[in-house]
Amino acid sequence: MTELISSIETHDIRFPTSRERDGSDAMNPFPDYSAAYIVLRTSDGAEGYGLVFTVGRGTEVQVAAVEALSDLVVGHAVADVLADPGAVARRLTGDSQIRWLGPYKGVVHMAAGGIVNAIWDLAARRAGKPLWKLLADLSPRQLVAQVDFRYLRDALTEDQALDILEAAEAGRADRERSLLEDGYPAYTTTPGWLGYDEDKLVRLCRQAVADGFSLIKLKVGADLAEDQRRLRLAREAVGPDIRIAVDANQIWGVDEAVRWMEQLRQFDPYWIEEPTSPDDVLGHAAVRRALAPIRVATGEHVQNAVVFKQLLMAEAVDVVQIDACRVGGVNENLAILLLAARFGVPVCPHAGGVGLCELVQHLAMFDYVGVSATVRDRSIEYVDHLHEHFVDPVRIRDGRYVTPTAPGMSAQMHAGSLDAFRFPDGPQWTSTSPFVPAA
Amino acid sequence: MTELISSIETHDIRFPTSRERDGSDAMNPFPDYSAAYIVLRTSDGAEGYGLVFTVGRGTEVQVAAVEALSDLVVGHAVADVLADPGAVARRLTGDSQIRWLGPYKGVVHMAAGGIVNAIWDLAARRAGKPLWKLLADLSPRQLVAQVDFRYLRDALTEDQALDILEAAEAGRADRERSLLEDGYPAYTTTPGWLGYDEDKLVRLCRQAVADGFSLIKLKVGADLAEDQRRLRLAREAVGPDIRIAVDANQIWGVDEAVRWMEQLRQFDPYWIEEPTSPDDVLGHAAVRRALAPIRVATGEHVQNAVVFKQLLMAEAVDVVQIDACRVGGVNENLAILLLAARFGVPVCPHAGGVGLCELVQHLAMFDYVGVSATVRDRSIEYVDHLHEHFVDPVRIRDGRYVTPTAPGMSAQMHAGSLDAFRFPDGPQWTSTSPFVPAA
């Protein structure tokens, strides 16, 4: 019998992180890190896992969107789906009725991305490889065939993408070996949440340096005097040689971003992240021109490759922050990696939340092996939250991600975590007893 | 007792328009025009109506999003809500958890817009005025206070907005009188759907001219030879003096849009609408530079005022096509009208679908009375579909919208239509008998 995609099951999983103000920033004072968690099953009993990261209320809308798209995949032959995930991605993002609700943005686009990632997870499990390795083993032509170039050709054609991928073939084996031996650089946001007091800030800054990180990130934007005090404390704690990035989480208008950052320049910020609306390409370009040499970074809320294309064409960013769950999955992130390589801009993925570190490490590591061929000025965000809920959690050693070797995209969560944090009826939401991971 | 917002009820209403291919275009071959229809009730039994237009599958996701936001309004005092809809709009679009799913875009943003519009509908009913008149009677300062300028000030400050509105005070009474006497210019898309055969196309083109329209619109982009044949037939049918706009519904990349339109230039197209991704500000600018004097129009899928701001700053559009249901409701459309006025670009609203004509006419008419103070090169799209389901349907006379005088935003649908087209269990979806409007 032909093996079919038999079901897509979606779970509303929420962690009450707002109780400790983990993850608090200028625009997200009380997030409850959450996920629309996706289990894609085949008629032979195989499974692929994906998720869409959310921050609490509205996760049920994200779940509804995944369910609305499921019909476009369920019932299809697994062999067809795995032979060309790009075709499935185009079907999911291009459905002529559902696309009205985006197109290529927001809830329906993230839902498509979650399903596409679950398909790649299944493909990698079946191949017995971690996703980064599965991608690295595809030929340049196979990779180019996985990208939707419809709206990208004015910046990146199929031939240009092929050139980038072919150029990266030299030295591939060496990079793969170094990746497996030394891992991939990480930076940490753990010290920098707005809701933490000054003692905790200083302690976590010192700890970050002791743990081997060379870049830390602090949230800013709620109060200027407070930002100056926190940045001074952080700079004193880490010394002049550690890079300190700051992140405003979209709180400013364009001119306000420039004025505020001029008041923080004395603390030598390495980049300013999300200075204004993630939709404002021209605004980011204006901020970058005004603030250089402070770098401008954005991406966790950049809705799709068309906006990344413009950020690069307009010379609006110094750092491209891909996110595993914001865009249309592995395929669109492949497009974004290729665009960044074409413009010579480093990719430093957004992570944290629930499972973002687990998923996005595969994309950054593939970028190193198969696309940009360098880790220079590149690192993956690391936040030490909620990894205990994953079957194959990220590991950090000496300020670097340890390269995963288990098959898949590392998205699978423990069954016990799904049970405990199911919203609204899991015991973590109906009682106040502390959670002990099931693993 | 204080009157409260007591409930928000949301209906999944779908019309099986794909059976006749009404509304068919290059990206939407088989739309079922639909709506997440919103009834906002007060504890005194008053009602306000709103809707989010959709095209079939996924409407249940839109309904879920409206429900997710309802808690932010239900239980609030009606007097507070009506005194400052802008504050409610900011609460709905800025909720610190739900905004992660946008922000300011897609399903959650349209849900906020639907609720905001229902609030304005209630406000206008209570004032005994059509919405356009309610807005026209607000002072410049009151109007400016309804706009969220956070991401707009690099293009439009509060003071500049005030200047625009104060300049429009001269002649206001005359314009209001002419509006009530002569209505507002319309253009028609009725002849131009891709799924219609050539006889129907020619017949509807001639009918449009006979009905007094001076601008018609044809869908293009599926097949070049076919587009040339249809445009030739249309141009012959209407003569040289009628403007023919064409609409590609986002099917092209940037360079492709230019190449294709060069092959249609001989038929003197007035504007090319949605030549590429609605997210591609720089792409629209490039298309506009290459194709002038053919105008570039977009907006029905432009997600928010930040993208409109950039389209105007980059000189990427000649025609701003606001949509009543895409952005965050009346308040954000007020921002967009002010931006368009600041840059001197005409607004020609997108309409059609379900209820879009009914709602958006109020915004265009207010623009004439209180913002741009002109109808030069401006007209509202008109499509003669599905108006029979509305209690206060639009009326067209001599190619112009007849100005509505009934209180509200004209969004209320007949109870019989809600019953008949309820998805999935209304009789129009469970049987094949023809529908007769209940009114």
Side-chain angles (χ1 to χ4, degrees), chain A residues 30 57 95 97 99-100 103 105 150-151 250-251 279-282 301 303-304 309-310 326, chain B residues 30 57 95 97 99-100 103 105 150-151 250-251 279-282 301 303-304 309-310 326:
Chain A
F30 294 101
R57 284 187 294 282
D95 176 80
Q97 295 193 342
R99 78 184 292 286
W100 188 267
K105 61 183 65 77
R150 180 196 292 253
Y151 295 132
Q250 314 168 20
I251 202 164
D279 308 339
D280 199 346
V281 171
L282 302 179
H301 264 110
Q303 64 204 29
N304 59 37
K309 176 189 79 170
Q310 294 175 83
R326 175 65 57 185
Chain B
F30 295 102
R57 283 186 295 282
D95 177 79
Q97 295 193 342
R99 78 183 293 284
W100 188 267
K105 61 183 67 73
R150 180 195 292 251
Y151 295 132
Q250 314 167 21
I251 201 163
D279 309 337
D280 199 344
V281 171
L282 302 178
H301 264 110
Q303 64 205 29
N304 58 38
K309 176 189 79 170
Q310 294 175 83
R326 176 65 57 186

Side-chain angles (χ1 to χ4, degrees), chain A residues 289-301:
Chain A
R289 279 192 303 273
L291 290 180
I294 301 172
R295 289 163 175 77
V296 170
T298 195
E300 70 183 76
H301 264 110

Side-chain angles (χ1 to χ4, degrees), chain B residues 91-103:
Chain B
R91 190 159 73 231
L92 288 167
T93 58
D95 177 79
S96 74
Q97 295 193 342
I98 295 174
R99 78 183 293 284
W100 188 267
L101 303 176

